[in-house]
Amino acid sequence: MQPSDRVMNLRQVFVTVLMFGVAGLLLFMYLQAWIEEHPTVSGEKLQQQIINQDSKLPHPEELATAPKNQSAAANLNKRQTTVIMGRHSQEQASPLGEIASSLVSRLSEQQKMTKAFLKQLKQVNLPPVMRPLNKSLIKDDRWKNIDEAQEKRRYFLYDFCKKYSSENRLRTHLVRMVSRIYVEDRHKILYCEVPKAGCSNWKRILMVLNGLASSAYSISHDAVHYGKHLKKLDSYDLKGIQTRLNTYTKTIFVRDPMERLVSAFRDKFEHPNSYYHPVFGKAIIKKYRLNAREEALKTGSGVKFKEFVWYLLDSQRPVGMDIHWEQISKLCYPCLINYDFIGKFETLEEDANYFLQLIGAPAELKFPNFKDRHSSDERTNMEVVRQYLKELSDTERQLTYDFYYLDYLMFNYTMPIV
Ligand SMILES: *[C@@H]1O[C@H](CO)[C@@H](O)[C@H](O)[C@H]1NC(C)=O
Ligand SMILES: *[C@@H]1O[C@H](CO)[C@@H](O)[C@H](O)[C@H]1NC(C)=O
Ligand SMILES: *[C@@H]1O[C@H](CO)[C@@H](O)[C@H](O)[C@H]1NC(C)=O
């Protein structure tokens, strides 16, 4: 072989290797760009499905039970939007027209917020962990049914959350995320407060467990809420927060979203209240009531449920949100905190007493079943809720449902049929 041939061969080999290298690099860059655009394809698809359902349909469970009305349900949103639009164009100049158009913009804003929220969930990489409940203290069969319901609920939430988490951004928001969680160090409990879902009695129980009181019945409403006896999780340093999150039994008690909303409305607006009337009532009447009387504008008393809902759904609320009607998903971050125990207001006493057994509370400590404010009023149950929902139009009901969509989804609630 000639020396020049050998040089040629070497050059060819070199060029070939270089070309493969460049091609490989290009392929790599292309793939990376593609992956960034399509993080988890199936997750995205699912999310899209849910968002589509959000705008069009009632709860998937509802459809399963009433397949014949599916097309009616699917048309609901379209029809309602046109109705609103129609009303809007007729009443362009009136405040009601503005409210109607605000409701429409509210819908798309809610969808955006739901999207953003689901995206945020995807960005937090606490892969949801499901720790088994420690049942070593449960000695009898009495709790069997309650325990089964509990496990179902835990798996249900876990499955929902698993679809939406993937990457870690937790630390930045950690403190805010735990700001509604109360700490009981003796029995190692974390309790996230959801107002209007039995939280006063829960705080009483935590105070008794902590040795701050001898009986739940001896603690007044004001001592519970303004006493500052119980510590919140955000009062600890980062390490204190993380240790407790990882080792304590974390619990949340939830309630049907509409029941919670109606209950909050009745409690805050149908009884004299020196905070909610002047702060929320006044602003609500001023913005949403046509020809409001001087007296109502001055006191803020007598807000109607419909007016309250207009405020709730308004993208330009005249006053901010309040924990009593804030979504549970924003108060307690159920998909990030990984609650060990999910109680429901609908089965409050059984769930709570089972929880007390699990954590080894004194045998004589039982969850109190009293209602300490407006105790003569009928409790807000589904029948009462229906009466209130009847005051709303179909659209307003649908938008209210959309507003609490994640709460419905996470805890397997269904929209009441009015
Ligand atoms: C379907 O919905 C309509 C009203 O939207 C109602 O009158 C009818 O009874 C429903 N049908 C079934 C099968 O649920
Ligand atoms: C379960 O609880 C019991 C009693 O509180 C405790 O002794 C045991 O170590 C716990 N088991 C686990 C796995 O945490
Ligand atoms: C969800 O709710 C439906 C209807 O209330 C019920 O039949 C079903 O068992 C629930 N699923 C879980 C996992 O709790």
Side-chain angles (χ1 to χ4, degrees):
M1 204 187 275
Q2 297 283 323
S4 65
D5 276 349
R6 200 178 298 147
V7 170
M8 271 301 275
N9 275 347
L10 272 178
R11 194 181 289 154
Q12 274 169 359
V13 168
F14 178 73
V15 167
T16 316
V17 167
L18 194 69
M19 272 166 54
F20 270 111
V22 168
L25 191 67
L26 286 175
L27 183 68
F28 175 70
M29 280 161 59
Y30 170 78
L31 277 179
Q32 202 174 32
W34 188 85
I35 285 165
E36 266 164 22
E37 267 173 37
H38 306 77
T40 50
V41 177
S42 61
E44 197 99 287
K45 234 186 236 164
L46 207 95
Q47 176 185 328
Q48 200 54 47
Q49 265 171 17
I50 288 201
I51 287 159
N52 289 344
Q53 280 168 0
D54 181 13
S55 61
K56 280 204 293 270
L57 302 171
H59 199 286
E61 301 256 18
E62 241 168 68
L63 292 179
T65 56
K68 281 190 191 122
N69 264 357
Q70 189 156 0
S71 60
N75 281 329
L76 200 63
N77 191 56
K78 206 163 65 186
R79 184 165 47 91
Q80 284 167 352
T81 310
T82 20
V83 169
I84 276 196
M85 289 300 199
R87 207 205 294 165
H88 181 213
S89 54
Q90 279 161 22
E91 300 177 65
Q92 195 84 43
S94 81
L96 283 182
E98 272 167 39
I99 290 161
S101 84
S102 149
L103 283 183
V104 171
S105 71
R106 183 77 199 157
L107 174 66
S108 69
E109 186 175 292
Q110 263 171 35
Q111 284 164 356
K112 264 189 236 144
M113 273 162 48
T114 306
K115 257 186 215 171
F117 188 89
L118 291 175
K119 199 167 162 204
Q120 186 187 332
L121 282 185
K122 286 181 61 169
Q123 282 168 351
V124 177
N125 185 19
L126 268 203
V129 208
M130 185 140 74
R131 293 192 309 203
L133 276 172
N134 183 344
K135 294 174 192 167
S136 64
L137 295 174
I138 304 296
K139 300 282 183 251
D140 49 27
D141 264 359
R142 191 152 57 107
W143 304 105
K144 195 162 164 286
N145 293 343
I146 297 165
D147 180 65
E148 274 169 15
Q150 182 56 229
E151 291 296 345
K152 268 172 86 176
R153 252 176 239 162
R154 278 156 45 84
Y155 275 99
F156 189 87
L157 179 61
Y158 172 77
D159 279 342
F160 173 80
C161 296
K162 203 166 52 170
K163 291 163 192 160
Y164 300 109
S165 22
S166 62
E167 175 202 319
N168 199 345
R169 295 274 171 83
L170 187 59
R171 211 152 285 154
T172 45
H173 299 305
L174 186 65
V175 173
R176 206 188 61 201
M177 207 181 293
V178 301
S179 65
R180 309 233 51 89
I181 296 182
Y182 285 90
V183 179
E184 203 291 289
D185 277 320
R186 284 195 188 175
H187 297 79
K188 299 189 189 259
I189 303 170
L190 298 178
Y191 163 73
C192 188
E193 174 189 33
V194 174
K196 313 313 301 171
C199 76
S200 303
N201 281 338
W202 258 112
K203 287 185 188 166
R204 288 190 172 91
I205 286 289
L206 293 179
M207 286 168 75
V208 173
L209 287 171
N210 204 241
L212 292 165
S214 56
S215 155
Y217 291 88
S218 65
I219 313 167
S220 74
H221 181 85
D222 285 358
V224 168
H225 289 284
Y226 310 110
K228 299 228 189 312
H229 299 295
L230 291 164
K231 284 189 102 171
K232 287 213 177 145
L233 191 51
D234 62 357
S235 67
Y236 295 84
D237 63 12
L238 207 57
K239 188 158 176 291
I241 294 175
Q242 273 167 346
T243 312
R244 284 175 180 78
L245 279 176
N246 288 329
T247 57
Y248 284 20
T249 308
K250 298 169 299 238
T251 184
I252 181 176
F253 273 68
V254 301
R255 184 176 187 177
D256 178 281
M258 291 302 163
E259 259 190 52
R260 230 188 113 223
L261 181 69
V262 170
S263 171
F265 172 76
R266 294 175 77 201
D267 183 22
K268 303 306 177 200
F269 295 102
E270 290 189 350
H271 298 274
N273 191 305
S274 62
Y275 173 70
Y276 286 92
H277 293 200
V279 175
F280 289 88
K282 266 191 200 174
I284 290 174
I285 291 173
K286 181 158 178 266
K287 178 155 186 189
Y288 308 106
R289 188 176 298 177
L290 288 176
N291 311 318
R293 285 169 195 265
E294 198 67 31
E295 177 73 8
L297 286 168
K298 217 165 68 202
T299 60
S301 299
V303 169
K304 298 200 171 62
F305 185 61
K306 203 179 179 70
E307 295 166 337
F308 174 62
V309 166
W310 280 347
Y311 144 80
L312 185 77
L313 301 175
D314 190 344
S315 58
Q316 270 123 28
R317 287 187 201 104
V319 275
M321 281 295 285
D322 179 89
I323 55 167
H324 293 86
W325 46 87
E326 181 68 279
Q327 297 104 317
I328 298 172
S329 52
K330 289 193 185 160
L331 290 171
C332 295
Y333 298 90
C335 280
L336 304 181
I337 304 286
N338 294 320
Y339 291 95
D340 303 297
F341 190 96
I342 302 153
K344 288 198 167 178
F345 187 81
E346 293 74 12
T347 46
L348 178 60
E349 273 181 77
E350 308 152 34
D351 287 346
N353 286 326
Y354 179 49
F355 182 78
L356 291 175
Q357 294 280 312
L358 285 170
I359 52 109
E364 67 281 5
L365 184 64
K366 292 279 171 293
F367 195 82
N369 75 341
F370 62 86
K371 176 172 184 259
D372 57 354
R373 281 157 63 82
H374 320 306
S375 47
S376 60
D377 287 10
E378 187 187 357
R379 267 203 203 261
T380 305
N381 55 31
M382 262 310 153
E383 203 33 59
V384 173
V385 169
R386 268 189 210 102
Q387 294 309 315
Y388 281 83
L389 291 184
K390 275 185 190 151
E391 295 172 25
L392 306 179
S393 70
D394 287 354
T395 316
E396 287 155 357
R397 275 198 296 273
Q398 179 67 36
L399 288 167
T400 312
Y401 170 80
D402 291 347
F403 185 83
Y404 291 106
Y405 185 63
L406 283 173
D407 291 0
Y408 273 99
L409 219 57
M410 286 177 173
F411 303 110
N412 192 25
Y413 283 112
T414 46
M415 176 74 172
I417 298 179
V418 176

